[in-house]
């Protein structure tokens, strides 16, 4: 039932209809009203059971962030994580097993440069619209490239925004962390990695993406490249 509510009210095409809603006012869309009520109960229960006053919601869709300001009992923050679209294009070409089962292997979906870049544009423009619903003090833009260059400082900025001490990750050095076990049940296999882990910049796309794919991706993403400080012609130095 909850899954059906989500499908009927939380698609990207529903974003304008979600954004016109306001906390404290009646939601006249029954599916969204029911979904918001369930989320409110869920997050409150998580806080009560765990004793935590900060919950990290790792959903990636803009519409998920758009719903949070409608919840009565939480103070939401949003971190907008963006990566160079040419790196995204190369990543979306890789074949990665999400579920390594001999009986039922499941591969992560792949897409071509045009499709991935149009998706990149759509998702980032939608997230920009969602961030307008958040106070400037509750919203932060983070570039993947800055995160991997200085993870401790970038995560510290996120903790400062939320107003909590930066804790939870044990840094061996400025680029290496000890990852504890987590409760992730699905997704990229890298999510399940534990132990000592080096945080490094994945630059394989610089040499691995074909010239045609690079030019196509650059052309399609051109309107947003300057906003996120990405060069028109990328290299290892840039």
């Amino acid at each position: 039932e909850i899954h059906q509510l989500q499908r009927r009210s939380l698609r990207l095409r529903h974003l304008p209809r979600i954004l016109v809603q306001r906390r404290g006012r009646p939601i006249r869309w029954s599916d969204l009203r029911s979904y918001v009520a369930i989320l409110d109960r869920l997050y409150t229960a998580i806080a009560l059971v765990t004793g935590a006053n900060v919950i990290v919601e790792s959903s990636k869709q803009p519409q998920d962030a758009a719903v949070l300001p409608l919840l009565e009992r939480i103070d939401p923050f949003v971190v907008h994580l963006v990566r160079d679209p040419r790196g995204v294009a190369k990543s979306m070409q890789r074949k990665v097993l999400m579920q390594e089962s001999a009986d039922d292997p499941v591969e992560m979906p792949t897409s071509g440069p045009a499709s991935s870049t149009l998706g990149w544009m759509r998702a980032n423009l939608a997230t920009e619209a969602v961030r307008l619903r958040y106070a400037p003090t509750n919203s932060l833009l983070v570039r993947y490239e800055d995160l991997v260059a200085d993870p401790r400082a970038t995560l510290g900025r996120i903790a400062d925004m939320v107003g909590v001490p930066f804790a939870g990750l044990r840094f061996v050095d400025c680029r290496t962390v000890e990852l504890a076990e987590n409760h992730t049940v699905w997704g990229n296999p890298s999510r399940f990695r534990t132990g000592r882990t080096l945080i490094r910049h994945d630059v394989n796309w610089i040499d691995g993406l074909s010239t045609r794919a690079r030019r196509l991706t650059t052309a399609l993403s051109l309107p947003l490249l300057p906003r996120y400080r990405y060069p028109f012609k990328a290299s290892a130095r840039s």
Side-chain angles (χ1 to χ4, degrees), residues 128-149:
E128 295 279 2
V130 170
R131 289 177 60 200
L132 294 176
R133 288 288 310 278
Y134 285 73
T137 54
N138 287 35
S139 172
L140 187 64
L141 173 67
V142 173
R143 300 192 328 152
Y144 157 84
E145 292 78 8
D146 297 332
L147 172 64
V148 297

Side-chain angles (χ1 to χ4, degrees), residues 54-114:
V54 175
I55 300 170
V56 179
E57 160 66 274
S58 61
S59 299
K60 302 183 205 175
Q61 304 300 329
Q63 56 270 32
D64 289 310
V67 165
L68 296 182
L70 301 177
L71 275 61
E72 296 286 348
R73 291 177 283 188
I74 72 165
D75 183 19
F77 297 81
V78 60
V79 177
H80 179 186
L81 181 65
V82 63
R83 185 186 181 189
D84 191 307
R86 291 151 296 202
V88 175
K90 178 60 179 176
S91 180
M92 290 301 296
Q93 292 178 350
R94 295 174 181 160
K95 291 187 176 182
V96 179
L97 279 178
M98 294 175 65
Q99 180 175 300
E100 298 186 25
S101 168
D103 299 325
D104 187 26
V106 179
E107 286 188 352
M108 289 183 63
T110 60
S111 63

Side-chain angles (χ1 to χ4, degrees), residues 4 21 27 29 39 45 47 79 111 124 137 141 149 157-158 163 171 190 192 194 201 208 217:
Q4 291 303 316
Q21 311 295 329
I27 299 176
W29 182 5
L39 277 189
V79 177
S111 63
N124 284 294
T137 54
L141 173 67
R157 287 173 57 210
I158 296 173
F171 275 87
S190 62
F192 305 102
T194 59
H201 190 180
T217 302

Side-chain angles (χ1 to χ4, degrees), residues 39-54:
L39 277 189
D40 206 24
R41 289 166 49 202
L42 173 64
Y43 292 143
T44 302
I46 291 173
L48 288 173
V49 170
T50 64
N53 63 354
V54 175

